[in-house]
Amino acid sequence: MPARRGPLPIDPIAEAHRQWVRQGWYEVADGMAAITSVMRVQQIMLSRIEDVLKPYKLSFARYELLALLMFSKTGLLPMAKIGERLQVHPTSVTNVVDRLESAAFVERVPHPTDRRATLIQITQVGRDVVASATDELNRRVFPDIGLTSSELSELNAILGKYRFLAGDFIEDAPQAPWAVAPQA
């Protein structure tokens, strides 16, 4: 990975927006800039998170799976349910579970009533590592992402609306405190 340079002298997304308008694509320039900005912010946030998770030998995907298991009632979920909750393809779940299992953070357990299903259970080692990693994220990343409390509420509401309109969850799903009634 190349060494990180300082801030750029221009905003490349604003420049891309300017170029879109210059090409006559002004009616889609704002959408292009919004999508490109969200993608860049995702890269920045993921980098901060993975810097914290690296000493725990976790990627964000592995952390999410461990956290899901830790928050489940029994610490045990079927592979299919994990994929559904994390909104990822079954192959991705298998790859993440393989890595977590090789680190002794989870173990595969036969389903007691369905021979075709496999359950994934968090181990004590997995519980310890996800608890420590969560403490570190709560200390170093989540308290200050660079936005005020009201900006965070507004951002969460906007992103929640976008996810709802994209079909991420049903209208009657339990709502977060920042959620506003979805409107098309």
Side-chain angles (χ1 to χ4, degrees):
M1 182 174 256
R4 185 161 186 206
R5 294 172 281 144
L8 297 173
I10 64 162
D11 177 349
I13 297 170
E15 177 58 20
H17 185 276
R18 190 179 75 72
Q19 293 296 335
W20 246 247
V21 169
R22 189 169 154 236
Q23 293 297 319
W25 305 324
Y26 46 85
E27 63 278 344
V28 297
D30 288 350
M32 177 282 303
I35 287 172
T36 306
S37 291
V38 167
M39 300 301 286
R40 178 61 187 137
V41 168
Q42 188 265 349
Q43 291 172 334
I44 293 166
M45 289 179 175
L46 187 59
S47 177
R48 287 185 65 201
I49 287 169
E50 292 202 338
D51 283 348
V52 170
L53 295 177
K54 193 175 196 173
Y56 299 97
K57 299 190 178 8
L58 292 175
S59 64
F60 188 59
R62 285 180 241 152
Y63 171 79
E64 281 186 303
L65 196 149
L66 285 177
L68 176 65
L69 290 173
M70 184 178 75
F71 293 137
S72 71
K73 291 177 187 166
T74 62
L76 183 78
L77 287 172
M79 294 268 285
K81 182 65 75 179
I82 291 170
E84 178 185 306
R85 297 252 175 97
L86 296 179
Q87 299 173 303
V88 296
H89 192 274
T91 303
S92 297
V93 175
T94 300
N95 291 336
V96 171
V97 168
D98 287 346
R99 291 189 180 255
L100 290 171
E101 188 175 41
S102 71
F105 295 160
V106 300
E107 57 190 8
R108 286 176 165 89
V109 177
H111 195 288
T113 59
D114 183 354
R115 292 187 325 205
R116 298 167 297 160
T118 301
L119 301 173
I120 306 305
Q121 182 170 26
I122 191 168
T123 63
Q124 188 58 52
V125 174
R127 284 183 186 281
D128 293 344
V129 80
V130 75
S132 294
T134 300
D135 287 345
E136 227 17 54
L137 287 168
N138 285 342
R139 188 176 72 75
R140 293 177 46 197
V141 177
F142 300 147
D144 181 14
I145 70 162
L147 300 173
T148 67
S149 180
S150 63
E151 288 169 334
L152 283 173
S153 291
E154 185 178 354
L155 177 63
N156 282 322
I158 290 167
L159 295 175
K161 177 182 175 182
Y162 188 93
R163 292 183 308 110
F164 170 75
L165 293 173
D168 229 18
F169 54 90
I170 62 171
E171 190 168 2
D172 294 336
Q175 296 292 306
W178 62 75
V180 294
Q183 298 172 6

